[in-house]
Amino acid sequence: MIKGNLDLSQLKEFLLRNSACIKKWALPAVVVFALAIFWVFGGSNKEGMEIVEKDQGSSAGITESQEIDIVGEPTEQGMIYVDLGGAVVMPGVYEVTTGTRLFQIIEKAGGLLEDADTDHINQAEIVGDGDKIIIGSRDENSPYYTGQLDGASSENSGHSGKSPVTETDDGLIVDINLADETQLQLIPGVGPSTARKIVEYRDANGKFNKIEDIKNISGIGEKTFENMKDFIIV
């Protein structure tokens, strides 16, 4: 017991006598000891963490790559073909997406010619697959001349005794028995696809007997007919 007390007193005396030296070397020793503990125990854990993170990163990379492939994969769904002719720079068949409007195809065709007759086309019309669209011309020497639409004689229109399109104060009146596909598109609610159906119906069933018969065409219901009835004749 006495020996223990003497040893403790001697230790205190030693610490007090050498306090300056101890302070000088204690901090570096603690730092070295902490670093040693970190590398022995924490270093291996760090390496393990890096491996886990690397594995997770690889997995995430594969998923991202797969998603890019799926999203970026081209598809043929939603593509349609439209035949554009008449007064355009480059007539031809164009592949476009569903929902494309006429003015967008005209742009792909290099634009309209100077003599293009834009008064008788609806450039905002959504085109359909297989549509054949002819842009009329104001040039009398052009095979696509649409002068007859402005009240030209029946001789120019190619029909005897009656013009397919007549201009009135209320607008253009279209004869659904005489008008071709381009002229039929002057009727409100009639686009290239519907115009083609009207011509096909006439070829199969003969002329319309009354304007109400146009409702026999698929896509022309009561509401559409109400919008067009004042602009058509037979």
Side-chain angles (χ1 to χ4, degrees):
M1 190 72 177
I2 296 175
K3 184 177 181 180
N5 289 336
L6 290 175
D7 290 342
L8 181 59
S9 299
Q10 291 175 354
L11 177 59
K12 290 181 179 180
E13 183 180 353
F14 174 79
L15 292 174
L16 290 173
R17 189 169 55 247
N18 297 281
S19 59
C21 182
I22 291 173
K23 290 180 180 179
K24 179 179 180 181
W25 295 103
L27 182 60
V30 171
V31 172
V32 171
F33 179 74
L35 289 175
I37 294 298
F38 174 78
W39 287 112
V40 171
F41 297 100
S44 59
N45 291 338
K46 180 181 179 181
E47 181 179 359
M49 291 173 63
E50 290 178 348
I51 294 174
V52 171
E53 290 175 356
K54 182 177 180 181
D55 291 342
Q56 292 176 343
S58 299
S59 176
I62 292 173
T63 302
E64 181 180 359
S65 175
Q66 290 173 342
E67 290 177 352
I68 291 174
D69 289 342
I70 293 172
V71 173
E73 182 180 1
T75 174
E76 295 182 357
Q77 295 180 354
M79 303 304 295
I80 60 175
Y81 293 89
V82 177
D83 187 355
L84 180 65
V88 292
V89 176
M90 296 180 293
V93 176
Y94 290 89
E95 181 183 16
V96 296
T97 56
T98 301
T100 296
R101 297 182 183 273
L102 178 55
F103 79 89
Q104 294 173 308
I105 299 183
I106 291 175
E107 291 176 353
K108 291 175 72 68
L112 297 167
L113 297 178
E114 292 184 0
D115 60 345
D117 184 359
T118 57
D119 292 339
H120 300 109
I121 59 173
N122 179 8
Q123 297 191 58
E125 183 76 31
I126 296 177
V127 299
D129 186 33
D131 282 350
K132 181 176 179 62
I133 303 171
I134 303 297
I135 306 300
S137 171
R138 295 186 181 279
D139 182 359
E140 294 183 4
N141 298 317
S142 170
Y144 308 109
Y145 177 56
T146 55
Q148 67 269 20
L149 301 183
D150 296 319
S153 67
S154 59
E155 181 180 354
N156 289 334
S157 68
H159 300 281
S160 59
K162 199 174 184 181
S163 176
V165 180
T166 304
E167 186 174 11
T168 69
D169 292 338
D170 296 325
L172 296 175
I173 305 299
V174 179
D175 188 322
I176 57 177
N177 282 328
L178 300 178
D180 59 23
E181 288 189 27
T182 301
Q183 295 162 343
L184 286 168
Q185 293 178 51
L186 300 174
I187 303 171
V190 175
S193 178
T194 303
R196 184 173 64 252
K197 291 178 182 178
I198 294 174
V199 173
E200 292 174 348
Y201 179 89
R202 287 192 323 223
D203 293 341
N205 303 280
K207 293 184 177 181
F208 296 100
N209 295 317
K210 54 185 183 296
I211 62 173
E212 287 79 8
D213 290 342
I214 200 171
K215 291 189 287 184
N216 295 330
I217 305 300
S218 174
I220 299 181
E222 191 63 38
K223 183 177 181 180
T224 302
F225 175 73
E226 287 296 319
N227 293 332
M228 68 169 59
K229 67 179 183 179
D230 294 332
F231 303 96
I232 59 175
I233 58 174
V234 294

